[in-house]
Amino acid sequence: MTRLVGTICVASLALLGGCDEMTPPEGLPPAIDAQLRQDLSRWGVIPIGAMPPQDPALVALGQALMFDKILSGNRDIACATCHAPVQHGGDDAAVER
Ligand code: HEC
């Protein structure tokens, strides 16, 4: 449940970040967009600014580290083993509490 709430918050931030000009994304009725902004304004959420330019060398380094098993103690598991990019960084496994 916590993961679902977190996903919704991140998705909402991404949605707001992509709407700098107060226009709803294609196909989204204005009323829903306004309602979402009103709901999120209670927490002081503001749109994310423009992304800074990325250094391609650092992007390549990050990607290499993410998939490199050498970071693990037994050298048999990488970050991406659990944080699968195709599953949005998750592993689709249930969390026992
Ligand atoms: C064996 C599986 C596994 C591997 C390998 C792994 N992680 Fe994780 N990671 C998890 C799990 C499970 C969580 C969630 C822990 C929790 O919520 O209590 C997590 C949480 C995180 C978080 C916090 C995410 C959040 O929403 O707060 C970050 C950041 C992260 N991992 C980065 C990494 C990086 C970087 C690596 C590689 C160096 C890595 N992980 C390797 C399983 C793994």
Side-chain angles (χ1 to χ4, degrees):
M1 185 62 180
T2 303
R3 197 176 268 182
L4 174 62
V5 171
T7 301
I8 290 171
C9 287
V10 169
S12 299
L13 289 172
L15 179 64
L16 286 175
C19 304
D20 288 335
E21 298 169 15
M22 300 294 287
T23 54
E26 192 75 25
L28 189 62
I32 292 175
D33 186 64
Q35 181 66 46
L36 180 60
R37 285 183 185 283
Q38 184 179 347
D39 289 348
L40 289 173
S41 70
R42 285 186 291 169
W43 292 286
V45 176
I46 58 172
I48 299 170
M51 291 291 293
Q54 294 183 332
D55 181 340
L58 290 179
V59 172
L61 174 62
Q63 188 171 32
L65 290 172
M66 181 76 179
F67 291 90
D68 198 335
K69 296 179 179 179
I70 201 168
L71 294 178
S72 66
N74 293 340
R75 300 181 180 215
D76 62 351
I77 190 169
C79 306
T81 305
C82 298
H83 298 286
V86 294
Q87 292 175 324
H88 314 288
D91 61 4
D92 209 24
V95 178
E96 299 288 327
R97 297 245 177 216

PDB file of all heavy atoms in Angstrom, residues 36-49:
ATOM      1  N   LEU A  36      -6.699  18.000  -9.539  1.00  0.00           N
ATOM      2  CA  LEU A  36      -5.415  17.428  -9.131  1.00  0.00           C
ATOM      3  C   LEU A  36      -4.505  18.509  -8.558  1.00  0.00           C
ATOM      4  O   LEU A  36      -3.876  18.336  -7.516  1.00  0.00           O
ATOM      5  CB  LEU A  36      -4.743  16.736 -10.317  1.00  0.00           C
ATOM      6  CG  LEU A  36      -3.385  16.094 -10.035  1.00  0.00           C
ATOM      7  CD1 LEU A  36      -3.500  15.025  -8.964  1.00  0.00           C
ATOM      8  CD2 LEU A  36      -2.812  15.501 -11.318  1.00  0.00           C
ATOM      9  N   ARG A  37      -4.437  19.655  -9.233  1.00  0.00           N
ATOM     10  CA  ARG A  37      -3.595  20.755  -8.732  1.00  0.00           C
ATOM     11  C   ARG A  37      -4.088  21.233  -7.365  1.00  0.00           C
ATOM     12  O   ARG A  37      -3.297  21.504  -6.465  1.00  0.00           O
ATOM     13  CB  ARG A  37      -3.609  21.917  -9.717  1.00  0.00           C
ATOM     14  CG  ARG A  37      -2.777  21.660 -10.931  1.00  0.00           C
ATOM     15  CD  ARG A  37      -2.747  22.855 -11.862  1.00  0.00           C
ATOM     16  NE  ARG A  37      -2.036  22.535 -13.080  1.00  0.00           N
ATOM     17  CZ  ARG A  37      -0.720  22.463 -13.193  1.00  0.00           C
ATOM     18  NH1 ARG A  37       0.018  22.730 -12.151  1.00  0.00           N
ATOM     19  NH2 ARG A  37      -0.145  22.129 -14.317  1.00  0.00           N
ATOM     20  N   GLN A  38      -5.393  21.327  -7.204  1.00  0.00           N
ATOM     21  CA  GLN A  38      -5.945  21.779  -5.921  1.00  0.00           C
ATOM     22  C   GLN A  38      -5.616  20.777  -4.815  1.00  0.00           C
ATOM     23  O   GLN A  38      -5.203  21.162  -3.719  1.00  0.00           O
ATOM     24  CB  GLN A  38      -7.458  21.962  -6.054  1.00  0.00           C
ATOM     25  CG  GLN A  38      -8.094  22.523  -4.782  1.00  0.00           C
ATOM     26  CD  GLN A  38      -9.593  22.719  -4.938  1.00  0.00           C
ATOM     27  OE1 GLN A  38     -10.130  22.675  -6.043  1.00  0.00           O
ATOM     28  NE2 GLN A  38     -10.270  22.912  -3.822  1.00  0.00           N
ATOM     29  N   ASP A  39      -5.794  19.490  -5.114  1.00  0.00           N
ATOM     30  CA  ASP A  39      -5.511  18.457  -4.117  1.00  0.00           C
ATOM     31  C   ASP A  39      -4.041  18.482  -3.699  1.00  0.00           C
ATOM     32  O   ASP A  39      -3.714  18.400  -2.519  1.00  0.00           O
ATOM     33  CB  ASP A  39      -5.875  17.075  -4.668  1.00  0.00           C
ATOM     34  CG  ASP A  39      -7.375  16.876  -4.788  1.00  0.00           C
ATOM     35  OD1 ASP A  39      -8.140  17.707  -4.237  1.00  0.00           O
ATOM     36  OD2 ASP A  39      -7.787  15.904  -5.443  1.00  0.00           O
ATOM     37  N   LEU A  40      -3.148  18.600  -4.681  1.00  0.00           N
ATOM     38  CA  LEU A  40      -1.718  18.567  -4.383  1.00  0.00           C
ATOM     39  C   LEU A  40      -1.240  19.856  -3.724  1.00  0.00           C
ATOM     40  O   LEU A  40      -0.247  19.855  -2.994  1.00  0.00           O
ATOM     41  CB  LEU A  40      -0.924  18.304  -5.665  1.00  0.00           C
ATOM     42  CG  LEU A  40      -1.067  16.887  -6.213  1.00  0.00           C
ATOM     43  CD1 LEU A  40      -0.381  16.760  -7.566  1.00  0.00           C
ATOM     44  CD2 LEU A  40      -0.506  15.861  -5.247  1.00  0.00           C
ATOM     45  N   SER A  41      -1.944  20.972  -3.949  1.00  0.00           N
ATOM     46  CA  SER A  41      -1.510  22.252  -3.375  1.00  0.00           C
ATOM     47  C   SER A  41      -1.574  22.223  -1.849  1.00  0.00           C
ATOM     48  O   SER A  41      -0.881  22.982  -1.183  1.00  0.00           O
ATOM     49  CB  SER A  41      -2.356  23.397  -3.931  1.00  0.00           C
ATOM     50  OG  SER A  41      -3.673  23.329  -3.416  1.00  0.00           O
ATOM     51  N   ARG A  42      -2.369  21.325  -1.299  1.00  0.00           N
ATOM     52  CA  ARG A  42      -2.457  21.219   0.159  1.00  0.00           C
ATOM     53  C   ARG A  42      -1.116  20.837   0.770  1.00  0.00           C
ATOM     54  O   ARG A  42      -0.857  21.096   1.934  1.00  0.00           O
ATOM     55  CB  ARG A  42      -3.503  20.166   0.554  1.00  0.00           C
ATOM     56  CG  ARG A  42      -4.926  20.656   0.376  1.00  0.00           C
ATOM     57  CD  ARG A  42      -5.896  19.652   0.903  1.00  0.00           C
ATOM     58  NE  ARG A  42      -5.884  18.466   0.053  1.00  0.00           N
ATOM     59  CZ  ARG A  42      -6.475  17.325   0.359  1.00  0.00           C
ATOM     60  NH1 ARG A  42      -7.094  17.184   1.500  1.00  0.00           N
ATOM     61  NH2 ARG A  42      -6.435  16.305  -0.468  1.00  0.00           N
ATOM     62  N   TRP A  43      -0.271  20.168  -0.007  1.00  0.00           N
ATOM     63  CA  TRP A  43       1.033  19.745   0.515  1.00  0.00           C
ATOM     64  C   TRP A  43       2.157  20.628  -0.001  1.00  0.00           C
ATOM     65  O   TRP A  43       3.328  20.301   0.150  1.00  0.00           O
ATOM     66  CB  TRP A  43       1.294  18.282   0.138  1.00  0.00           C
ATOM     67  CG  TRP A  43       0.373  17.352   0.858  1.00  0.00           C
ATOM     68  CD1 TRP A  43       0.420  16.995   2.164  1.00  0.00           C
ATOM     69  CD2 TRP A  43      -0.759  16.682   0.315  1.00  0.00           C
ATOM     70  NE1 TRP A  43      -0.604  16.142   2.478  1.00  0.00           N
ATOM     71  CE2 TRP A  43      -1.344  15.930   1.356  1.00  0.00           C
ATOM     72  CE3 TRP A  43      -1.345  16.627  -0.939  1.00  0.00           C
ATOM     73  CZ2 TRP A  43      -2.473  15.157   1.176  1.00  0.00           C
ATOM     74  CZ3 TRP A  43      -2.468  15.850  -1.115  1.00  0.00           C
ATOM     75  CH2 TRP A  43      -3.017  15.124  -0.070  1.00  0.00           C
ATOM     76  N   GLY A  44       1.811  21.727  -0.638  1.00  0.00           N
ATOM     77  CA  GLY A  44       2.842  22.642  -1.118  1.00  0.00           C
ATOM     78  C   GLY A  44       3.644  22.088  -2.286  1.00  0.00           C
ATOM     79  O   GLY A  44       4.793  22.479  -2.496  1.00  0.00           O
ATOM     80  N   VAL A  45       3.052  21.156  -3.027  1.00  0.00           N
ATOM     81  CA  VAL A  45       3.747  20.573  -4.178  1.00  0.00           C
ATOM     82  C   VAL A  45       3.815  21.609  -5.295  1.00  0.00           C
ATOM     83  O   VAL A  45       2.827  22.255  -5.607  1.00  0.00           O
ATOM     84  CB  VAL A  45       3.002  19.313  -4.687  1.00  0.00           C
ATOM     85  CG1 VAL A  45       3.666  18.764  -5.936  1.00  0.00           C
ATOM     86  CG2 VAL A  45       2.950  18.267  -3.586  1.00  0.00           C
ATOM     87  N   ILE A  46       5.003  21.776  -5.838  1.00  0.00           N
ATOM     88  CA  ILE A  46       5.183  22.708  -6.953  1.00  0.00           C
ATOM     89  C   ILE A  46       5.751  21.955  -8.153  1.00  0.00           C
ATOM     90  O   ILE A  46       6.384  20.917  -7.989  1.00  0.00           O
ATOM     91  CB  ILE A  46       6.114  23.881  -6.578  1.00  0.00           C
ATOM     92  CG1 ILE A  46       7.475  23.339  -6.134  1.00  0.00           C
ATOM     93  CG2 ILE A  46       5.481  24.746  -5.494  1.00  0.00           C
ATOM     94  CD1 ILE A  46       8.529  24.398  -5.937  1.00  0.00           C
ATOM     95  N   PRO A  47       5.532  22.492  -9.345  1.00  0.00           N
ATOM     96  CA  PRO A  47       6.060  21.801 -10.536  1.00  0.00           C
ATOM     97  C   PRO A  47       7.583  21.716 -10.488  1.00  0.00           C
ATOM     98  O   PRO A  47       8.254  22.617  -9.983  1.00  0.00           O
ATOM     99  CB  PRO A  47       5.608  22.685 -11.700  1.00  0.00           C
ATOM    100  CG  PRO A  47       4.443  23.453 -11.167  1.00  0.00           C
ATOM    101  CD  PRO A  47       4.725  23.655  -9.700  1.00  0.00           C
ATOM    102  N   ILE A  48       8.086  20.626 -10.986  1.00  0.00           N
ATOM    103  CA  ILE A  48       9.529  20.441 -11.091  1.00  0.00           C
ATOM    104  C   ILE A  48      10.043  21.337 -12.204  1.00  0.00           C
ATOM    105  O   ILE A  48       9.441  21.426 -13.265  1.00  0.00           O
ATOM    106  CB  ILE A  48       9.859  18.967 -11.392  1.00  0.00           C
ATOM    107  CG1 ILE A  48       9.349  18.081 -10.256  1.00  0.00           C
ATOM    108  CG2 ILE A  48      11.353  18.774 -11.610  1.00  0.00           C
ATOM    109  CD1 ILE A  48       9.418  16.605 -10.558  1.00  0.00           C
ATOM    110  N   GLY A  49      11.161  22.024 -11.957  1.00  0.00           N
ATOM    111  CA  GLY A  49      11.736  22.894 -12.975  1.00  0.00           C
ATOM    112  C   GLY A  49      12.363  22.105 -14.106  1.00  0.00           C
ATOM    113  O   GLY A  49      12.353  20.874 -14.110  1.00  0.00           O
TER     114      GLY A  49
END
